[in-house]
Amino acid sequence: MRRRTVAIALALAVGGSGVFVAPAVPALAEDTTTSSSSTSSLQSQLDAANEKLDELSTQVASAGESLNDTKYQLQQTEQQIEDTKTQIQENKQKLSEARETLSKRVSADYKAGKTSFLSIILNASNWDDFLSRVYYADKVSESDAAAIKEVNDLQSSLEEKKASLEKDQQEQEQLQSQQEQQVSDLKAKQSEQQDYVNSLSSELQAAIKKQQEEEIAKQKAEAAAQQAAAKAQAEAAAKATSNSSSSSSKSSSGSSSKSSSSSKSSSGSNSSSNSGSNSGSNTNVSGGGGLTASQRSTIISAAYSQLGVPYVWAGSTPGVGLDCSGLTQYAYACAGISIPHSAAGQYSMSSHKSKSEWLPGDLVFWIGGVASGSGNHVAIYLGNNKIIHANGTLVTVSTLSSSYTTGGTPNA
């Protein structure tokens, strides 16, 4: 009966006005609640997914950089091996020449009757014993002693080089084995990262992609604004310097109004020259730590230009793919500074300083402190507790974490 009464009332409402809106109110409230709940759920999933992806990205970046470091060490070791082999050949040649010289001396002494060459040969048990007997013979001349010492020194040096070569070759084998394992680890981490992304719903994947694109667009806009502000500040400083020089020149010209027109011309010339000189020197003022302000600005601008570029292990191609040390190598190369494609290599060639002394453009390092195990990571310090780096997913700006324990400037 109640249902019928409600139905009649609704019918009357429609008949009386021609418009029916009452039933839509509770339905709209229900839709709004459902939509809000869905949005909240998606955001929660998005936050959880981003947290997991950040962790996986860190592990990928760490594994990749550990492999980079091993490659760098292997290259260094292989170069040492080649250098040692060259030194061994040189020592062998010198040793052969020194032995020949010594043999001629001993033979000459024997012919002159100074010593019994035959007894020296027959009684010596080996080459070292032979040298010892010759050295301690009563009639050995000072020049003979010098020749014997040269042979002994070369022999010792040769043995040391051979031992060094064996050590380097063993290290080479270990590094090659380590490299193979690290390649496997990196592939596993990358596979885990991709599997996780694939396991997410298409809606969540789209939300993550959109969020990344919006964040990178925001970072690019902020970078452009900061660079424009820095440029304007530099131009204002140059203009102030120029005006100051011009004002000083006019004051000097006014106080010597009795000077000839040629003197005035000279004054104007000096004003222009001074203005240009001061303006140029402002650009090249040292930014500290061995880098000029211009170099630091170039490094940061180059890094900013790669925002959003995908992370690629061993990547060194701007605009296509970079890893963490590939990004820093590129940015520093733009400033005319050559550094290796390895966080460990960059670390070893840098002058380190405390966090309070870090300047924009410095390299900052995360050494052996990631969840996946021992590994290295390098970023460029931007100031205001911010860094730019290739984080295992893409090149992005991040807040400096406590894991970055040291920083400095490469001694290029």
Side-chain angles (χ1 to χ4, degrees), residues 10-298:
L10 294 178
L12 290 172
V14 173
S17 65
V19 179
F20 177 56
V21 295
V25 175
L28 180 61
E30 182 179 349
D31 289 346
T32 303
T33 302
T34 302
S35 176
S36 176
S37 176
S38 177
T39 302
S40 177
S41 175
L42 179 62
Q43 186 60 52
S44 296
Q45 293 178 54
L46 184 59
D47 292 341
N50 280 328
E51 184 177 350
K52 180 64 176 178
L53 284 172
D54 284 346
E55 178 187 344
L56 292 173
S57 295
T58 298
Q59 293 177 6
V60 167
S62 174
E65 205 54 36
S66 292
L67 182 51
N68 275 344
D69 295 342
T70 298
K71 284 183 64 180
Y72 175 70
Q73 292 173 34
L74 189 54
Q75 290 170 356
Q76 298 293 98
T77 300
E78 288 172 346
Q79 185 58 54
Q80 289 174 8
I81 288 174
E82 291 305 311
D83 291 344
T84 302
K85 284 181 177 178
T86 300
Q87 292 170 355
I88 285 175
Q89 287 303 117
E90 292 175 351
N91 272 22
K92 282 183 176 180
Q93 181 62 31
K94 290 179 181 179
L95 182 58
S96 176
E97 293 172 357
R99 281 177 171 173
E100 184 178 356
T101 299
L102 179 60
S103 295
K104 289 179 179 178
R105 289 185 184 280
V106 173
S107 178
D109 286 345
Y110 165 71
K111 290 177 180 179
K114 293 181 180 179
T115 187
S116 174
F117 184 57
L118 182 60
S119 65
I120 291 175
I121 295 176
L122 294 177
N123 293 327
S125 59
N126 53 46
W127 174 253
D128 289 336
D129 185 35
F130 168 74
L131 292 179
S132 179
R133 287 173 178 274
V134 171
Y135 184 77
Y136 289 109
D138 291 337
K139 296 182 179 181
V140 170
S141 67
E142 185 176 340
S143 59
D144 287 340
I148 293 170
K149 184 178 185 304
E150 181 183 7
V151 170
N152 279 332
D153 289 346
L154 285 170
Q155 183 71 42
S156 297
S157 177
L158 183 59
E159 294 303 321
E160 289 176 2
K161 293 297 181 185
K162 286 181 177 178
S164 176
L165 177 60
E166 291 177 2
K167 180 181 177 183
D168 287 343
Q169 288 173 331
Q170 289 176 355
E171 182 178 352
Q172 181 186 39
E173 292 175 2
Q174 292 174 352
L175 287 171
Q176 287 172 338
S177 176
Q178 180 177 316
Q179 185 180 45
E180 292 173 2
Q181 182 59 50
Q182 287 174 331
V183 168
S184 177
D185 290 345
L186 175 59
K187 288 181 178 179
K189 294 298 181 186
Q190 289 176 323
S191 178
E192 183 181 359
Q193 183 185 41
Q194 189 58 51
D195 287 346
Y196 179 74
V197 172
N198 292 340
S199 72
L200 302 175
S201 67
S202 58
E203 183 181 21
L204 197 53
Q205 289 186 43
I208 290 172
K209 183 178 179 181
K210 181 181 178 182
Q211 189 178 60
Q212 286 180 343
E213 290 173 348
E214 289 176 347
E215 179 61 25
I216 290 300
K218 177 184 176 183
Q219 291 178 7
K220 286 182 177 180
E222 289 175 349
Q226 289 172 8
Q227 290 176 305
K231 181 179 179 182
Q233 185 177 8
E235 290 175 349
K239 185 176 180 180
T241 301
S242 177
N243 290 339
S244 176
S245 297
S246 177
S247 175
S248 175
S249 177
K250 287 179 180 179
S251 175
S252 175
S253 177
S255 64
S256 55
S257 56
K258 295 181 180 181
S259 299
S260 66
S261 60
S262 62
S263 176
K264 290 179 182 178
S265 175
S266 175
S267 173
S269 175
N270 287 338
S271 172
S272 174
S273 176
N274 288 339
S275 172
S277 176
N278 288 336
S279 175
S281 65
N282 284 339
T283 304
N284 297 315
V285 171
S286 174
L291 293 176
T292 65
S294 176
Q295 284 177 314
R296 291 184 180 278
S297 177
T298 298

Side-chain angles (χ1 to χ4, degrees), residues 302-376:
Y304 273 146
S305 73
Q306 300 305 302
L307 280 170
V309 170
Y311 171 91
V312 175
W313 170 70
S316 58
T317 308
V320 177
L322 297 165
D323 58 15
C324 70
S325 59
L327 172 66
T328 52
Q329 183 188 50
Y330 164 71
Y332 268 72
C334 289
I337 301 169
S338 177
I339 56 179
H341 192 164
S342 160
Q346 294 174 15
Y347 174 87
S348 64
M349 69 180 295
S350 296
S351 296
H352 302 279
K353 48 193 176 182
S354 63
K355 284 187 178 182
S356 61
E357 298 175 308
W358 291 355
L359 296 172
D362 278 343
L363 297 178
V364 292
F365 300 92
W366 179 350
I367 303 297
V370 295
S372 61
S374 180
N376 303 316

